[in-house]
Amino acid sequence: MKQFSYVRASSPEDAVQRAIAHQESQFIAGGTNLVDRLKAFLDNPSELIDVSRLGLKEIETMPDGSIRIGAMVSNTAVANHHQIREHYPLLSRAILSGASQQIRNVATVGGNLLQRTRCPYYYDTAFACNKRQPESGCAARHGINRMHAILGASEKCIAVHPSDMCVALAALDAVVEVQGANGQRQIPFTEFHRLPGNTPQWDSNLEPGALITAVILPPNPAAKTGIYLKLRDRTSYAFALVSVAAMVAVEGDAIHHARLALGGVAHKPWRSLETESFLEGKTAASETFEQAAEIALQQAQPLSHNHFKVSMAQRAIKRAFTISAQGGSTA
Amino acid sequence: MNKVVGTSVSRKEGLAKVMGKAPYSAEHSISGIIHGYLVTSTIAKGRIQSIDTQAAEQAPGVIAVFTHNNRPLIFEPDNDFQNSKIYESRLPLSDDQIYYGGQIIGLVVADTFEQAREASQLIEVEYEVETPLVDSRQATYEPGISMFGESMTFSKGEFAAGNFEAGIANAAASIEATYETATELHSPMEPHAIIAHWQDSDSLTVYEPSQFVMNSQGTYAQLFGILPKKYASLPPTLAAPLARKRFLGPIVFFVPLLPVNSSAP
């Protein structure tokens, strides 16, 4: 590990100013991913700016009924919060399906959004990786790519975003509140992360030096029936092969407010708007959800080792929608 | 009658283990300890064309860098299973050949673990890369090293199957059921770590996880050319059953490379 200096920011504005003034600095909050990356020689900051003591630890209900979660709230605190459990059970489920209790106790909401892929070729500096070293090549594309992307990948990168929480947040139309050099702005969750294209070194659209201050959950008529279904090699402490955040509100027999996001399949939490508009107004029935699942994976381009992900995702989507249409299950 | 089956026997150190009070080998504290960090091959087969350790040697805290170019003398053990046993018959840093990915190709010794690790990243290796054999169907079946005086030979197995369908159709009775075995991964609780403490030039105490202490003692003695009785192996309570460690792996060879009062994790 390289030598680096460590400073504590006194406010979000101070943190941003420091980060902009010191280009080789990085924010640290829970550090559950960053410290691993430091040890693996992936990140070499000359300064760490500690943003874990800035407050930003509240979960509050806003006048319009939305819930604002401070960026430094621990994953555990979000998952256990009574209003999250009651109104957004799939978010609670998604969080609890990831990592371990010890990691969730320390990991923050903001950090969860900014964790990086666990692609083994990214982690091993002996291999070529465009994400780690732009224009060096991608060893994963013709390597053991079983865990990798089937949607939205590029020639340059086939890595997947590792978060469970983010898949639920994408389905819930969350909004990311950001403090930048020019003040605060809000980014719709689906526009926060990006696809790899030719610049896989950038995971998100966050500008350099900007700090996530909160994640906002708008009121959602279908969220109580929301499902998070995660399929993986082991039943705990494993990343998703495929995960599904899905919800529908059923009035009579008709589907309204369908939402679908997939994890473990793309460089970002994969929201499928085509599937959602297909479902709007349709009858909640097995064939409907089967068709929805096919639409969601129409663009899939599996790699040599992960053809199984396509049918696995389709079945998981059908199952998640079916349970949601029956009223879901609580966290 | 000797009742063994059905009798529960408590492990002597069981309570300490479940309470987290049994020390791991790396947890023993010795004053003046220095640290070693291994440099491993990033290719699976080939040879080292060049290995540049200059920058590493000049890095802060670094005491020495060892490669196949400057390995100190160690002796070939009998490897007869009774007096000594090592996993790899080829001693590490013997030459420039690479036989597998992750093979040890160097050792950085420094005041702190972090300094040794940091310096290890400054070593530049150039390889002549060959294609490794990874398909067991193309195995060469060359004889292995001998054990107990008997040579180990391997031959291609022959497999034959009868007609299952016909057999089951003509069976007097049949049962259909599915039996599944979940994958179980045996993960060591402590990664390989050794502390070596030279009391003087021919007296050594080693802290290592081992299932086979007497054998380790003999192996160390032969490797380093010291008398077994001068050498005391103090097995940490957390020994091999938890840690997948029976015989001495390649890392132990680095113990003698270090001066008195040193350690090689």
Side-chain angles (χ1 to χ4, degrees), chain B residues 10-33:
Chain B
S10 291
R11 215 175 242 283
K12 221 174 173 180
E13 71 283 21
L15 188 65
K17 280 182 179 170
V18 295
M19 294 179 76
K21 288 181 176 169
Y24 287 95
S25 30
E27 287 177 331
H28 294 270
S29 150
I30 291 166
S31 68
I33 200 165

Side-chain angles (χ1 to χ4, degrees), chain A residues 1-2 39-41 125-126, chain B residues 42 114 117-118 120-121 185:
Chain A
M1 206 186 290
K2 295 253 188 301
K39 287 181 186 171
F41 303 104
T125 54
Chain B
T42 58
E114 289 75 17
R117 193 167 179 272
E118 173 63 22
S120 75
Q121 297 297 301
L185 183 68

Side-chain angles (χ1 to χ4, degrees), chain A residues 183-254:
Chain A
Q184 282 204 343
R185 70 175 181 124
Q186 295 198 330
I187 308 172
F189 203 86
T190 48
E191 291 167 29
F192 184 81
H193 295 99
R194 57 188 297 284
L195 290 175
N198 285 324
T199 50
Q201 66 269 34
W202 303 112
D203 293 347
S204 76
N205 292 314
L206 201 61
E207 61 267 37
L211 178 74
I212 299 170
T213 49
V215 170
I216 297 158
L217 294 171
N220 186 313
K224 276 195 180 185
T225 69
I227 295 297
Y228 188 73
L229 191 59
K230 179 176 178 179
L231 303 173
R232 45 185 159 168
D233 288 326
R234 266 194 315 259
T235 47
S236 78
Y237 202 51
F239 290 97
L241 293 165
V242 163
S243 71
V244 177
M247 67 192 100
V248 285
V250 182
E251 287 165 31
D253 268 347

Side-chain angles (χ1 to χ4, degrees), chain B residues 93-113:
Chain B
L93 306 187
S94 290
D95 50 42
D96 57 4
Q97 295 297 309
I98 303 293
Y99 296 94
Y100 59 90
Q103 181 182 312
I104 296 164
I105 58 171
L107 173 77
V108 181
V109 185
D111 290 333
T112 69
F113 176 75

Side-chain angles (χ1 to χ4, degrees), chain A residues 34-330:
Chain A
L34 178 60
V35 173
D36 281 354
R37 300 203 310 267
L38 294 175
K39 287 181 186 171
F41 303 104
L42 304 179
D43 293 51
N44 295 303
S46 56
E47 180 169 283
L48 286 185
I49 303 169
D50 190 339
V51 293
S52 68
R53 295 156 206 255
L54 304 179
L56 308 176
K57 285 188 174 173
E58 302 290 317
I59 299 179
E60 348 161 50
T61 307
M62 307 305 281
D64 68 350
S66 60
I67 294 182
R68 184 178 182 279
I69 306 169
M72 299 306 148
V73 178
S74 75
N75 289 8
T76 299
V78 180
N80 291 344
H81 195 267
H82 64 100
Q83 279 186 307
I84 303 291
R85 288 173 62 119
E86 190 184 338
H87 299 292
Y88 307 92
L90 80 163
L91 177 57
S92 192
R93 290 236 165 190
I95 293 169
L96 295 175
S97 76
S100 67
Q101 183 71 56
Q102 293 94 327
I103 292 172
R104 294 191 298 264
N105 288 345
V106 180
T108 63
V109 168
N112 188 300
L113 268 59
L114 295 174
Q115 64 177 308
R116 306 204 73 187
T117 187
R118 301 311 199 283
C119 171
Y121 298 95
Y122 163 73
Y123 260 81
D124 188 337
T125 54
F127 286 101
C129 172
N130 290 320
K131 188 179 278 298
R132 174 165 30 80
Q133 178 102 45
E135 304 304 322
S136 65
C138 172
R141 177 156 280 280
H142 299 291
I144 307 297
N145 49 35
R146 182 172 171 272
M147 297 291 289
H148 292 74
I150 54 172
L151 288 161
S154 72
E155 271 305 310
K156 293 278 169 73
C157 185
I158 57 170
V160 296
H161 196 264
S163 170
D164 291 296
M165 178 196 276
C166 290
V167 182
L169 291 175
L172 288 167
D173 295 301
V175 172
V176 186
E177 188 188 279
V178 167
Q179 174 81 40
N182 306 314
Q184 282 204 343
R185 70 175 181 124
Q186 295 198 330
I187 308 172
F189 203 86
T190 48
E191 291 167 29
F192 184 81
H193 295 99
R194 57 188 297 284
L195 290 175
N198 285 324
T199 50
Q201 66 269 34
W202 303 112
D203 293 347
S204 76
N205 292 314
L206 201 61
E207 61 267 37
L211 178 74
I212 299 170
T213 49
V215 170
I216 297 158
L217 294 171
N220 186 313
K224 276 195 180 185
T225 69
I227 295 297
Y228 188 73
L229 191 59
K230 179 176 178 179
L231 303 173
R232 45 185 159 168
D233 288 326
R234 266 194 315 259
T235 47
S236 78
Y237 202 51
F239 290 97
L241 293 165
V242 163
S243 71
V244 177
M247 67 192 100
V248 285
V250 182
E251 287 165 31
D253 268 347
I255 294 167
H256 294 293
H257 207 83
R259 291 288 180 273
L260 175 66
L262 305 177
V265 296
H267 195 260
K268 62 185 279 188
W270 186 264
R271 179 87 179 261
S272 179
L273 298 175
E274 301 85 357
T275 311
E276 293 170 10
S277 56
F278 165 80
L279 283 171
E280 186 62 33
K282 294 267 186 339
T283 307
S286 179
E287 311 81 70
T288 314
F289 295 137
E290 202 155 319
Q291 286 169 19
E294 267 178 39
I295 291 168
L297 274 299
Q298 239 162 24
Q299 309 294 322
Q301 289 187 311
L303 302 155
S304 49
H305 292 279
N306 68 7
H307 282 257
F308 71 94
K309 278 195 179 185
V310 178
S311 54
M312 182 180 264
Q314 286 171 332
R315 288 174 197 174
I317 291 166
K318 187 182 166 190
R319 179 152 171 235
F321 274 134
T322 305
I323 300 170
S324 180
Q326 291 163 352
S329 63
T330 52

